[in-house]
Amino acid sequence: MKHAERKMQFLFALRSKGVTDARVLSAMEEIDRGHFVKGLFENRTYEDMPLPIACGQTISQPSVVGLMTQALKVQPRDKVLEVGTGSGYQAAILSQLARRVYTVDRFSRLVREASAVFRKLDLSNVTAFTADGSHGLPDQAPFDRIIVTAAAEDTPGPLLAQLKIGGIMVLPVGQGQTVQTLIKVVRTETGYDYDEIRPVRFVPLLEGLGKE
């Protein structure tokens, strides 16, 4: 199948799963997932499924990336924090929508490899750090938007504290690998509003730096 045809099918699959925001679809058309999928799974790049990457992590399925990005409602002037760089695919999508993207991962290998792809694609508004993402990035806070691509048992307090008033955070929460829910948190003048989006499955959010 020709590349253009595969891309059409890819975008059609995203729409059919509920990704309808024009800016998000345009970003996902612009950023080719193929840059972030290596080795054995390259031929499955455009399928709507999670795929294994280094360090025992995964690249999320495109429809989940799209739905999380859509729920985040990123504006062109926003400063965004991503917790869980992984392959770098989600951060690259965000780079098309936000003014600045900071992304952190506990595995230095993933940060190195993702940074190399960001340079290759000339995504100069993305900065990746090796850090314990459960603590966020206090030096750069506060953030307009925060996205977490690993599941915590509860919404991490340090991340809530680094969200601007009016800011939005999207993350999976839940116990273990089985029951997780994607939620959207909006910080208000008086506290936080929570909305459930859909059931999901993500790797767990772990404290500390990863052993490679």
Side-chain angles (χ1 to χ4, degrees):
M1 192 189 295
K2 290 194 191 72
H3 185 72
E5 222 171 301
R6 280 212 309 250
K7 209 78 181 269
M8 288 277 292
Q9 283 195 352
F10 179 74
L11 292 168
F12 179 76
L14 290 174
R15 284 196 191 92
S16 68
K17 296 279 176 65
V19 183
T20 53
D21 182 290
R23 287 179 71 232
V24 173
L25 286 166
S26 165
M28 295 188 76
E29 185 175 12
E30 180 66 29
I31 298 292
D32 194 326
R33 193 179 186 228
H35 293 298
F36 302 90
V37 179
K38 299 182 180 73
L40 291 173
F41 298 97
E42 281 179 35
N43 62 337
R44 313 196 79 163
T45 294
Y46 300 105
E47 293 178 32
D48 192 36
M49 60 190 296
L51 297 169
I53 59 170
C55 306
Q57 305 300 296
T58 54
I59 178 172
S60 298
Q61 70 192 82
S63 61
V64 171
V65 171
L67 289 168
M68 288 180 80
T69 307
Q70 184 167 275
L72 213 54
K73 292 185 161 39
V74 179
Q75 302 304 309
R77 301 293 305 153
D78 282 352
K79 182 166 72 167
V80 181
L81 170 65
E82 178 195 30
V83 175
T85 309
S87 67
Y89 180 55
Q90 174 74 74
I93 300 289
L94 292 167
S95 77
Q96 305 297 292
L97 303 167
R99 179 172 59 90
R100 196 97 200 95
V101 179
Y102 294 94
T103 179
V104 299
D105 203 288
R106 56 198 294 271
F107 291 104
S108 59
R109 175 183 171 183
L110 295 180
V111 169
R112 277 196 311 276
E113 290 180 3
S115 296
V117 183
F118 300 151
R119 282 193 299 275
K120 185 171 100 180
L121 299 180
D122 200 23
L123 305 179
S124 56
N125 63 338
V126 185
T127 310
F129 298 90
T130 305
D132 179 347
S134 60
H135 298 299
L137 212 52
D139 292 355
Q140 301 296 340
F143 296 96
D144 301 288
R145 301 288 186 268
I146 298 177
I147 186 168
V148 185
T149 58
E153 288 189 9
D154 207 356
T155 315
L159 298 184
L160 288 172
Q162 289 172 36
L163 194 59
K164 275 186 187 169
I165 290 173
I168 297 171
M169 173 155 57
V170 173
L171 76 164
V173 294
Q175 309 278 338
Q177 292 272 2
T178 43
V179 191
Q180 297 171 3
T181 306
L182 193 59
I183 65 166
K184 174 179 173 176
V185 185
V186 180
R187 185 168 191 177
T188 66
E189 297 277 359
T190 53
Y192 301 91
D193 290 342
Y194 292 82
D195 269 326
E196 293 191 359
I197 300 173
R198 55 163 278 177
V200 285
R201 286 183 72 174
F202 276 85
V203 295
L205 180 67
L206 301 172
E207 294 202 353
L209 296 181
K211 305 268 188 294
E212 307 202 8

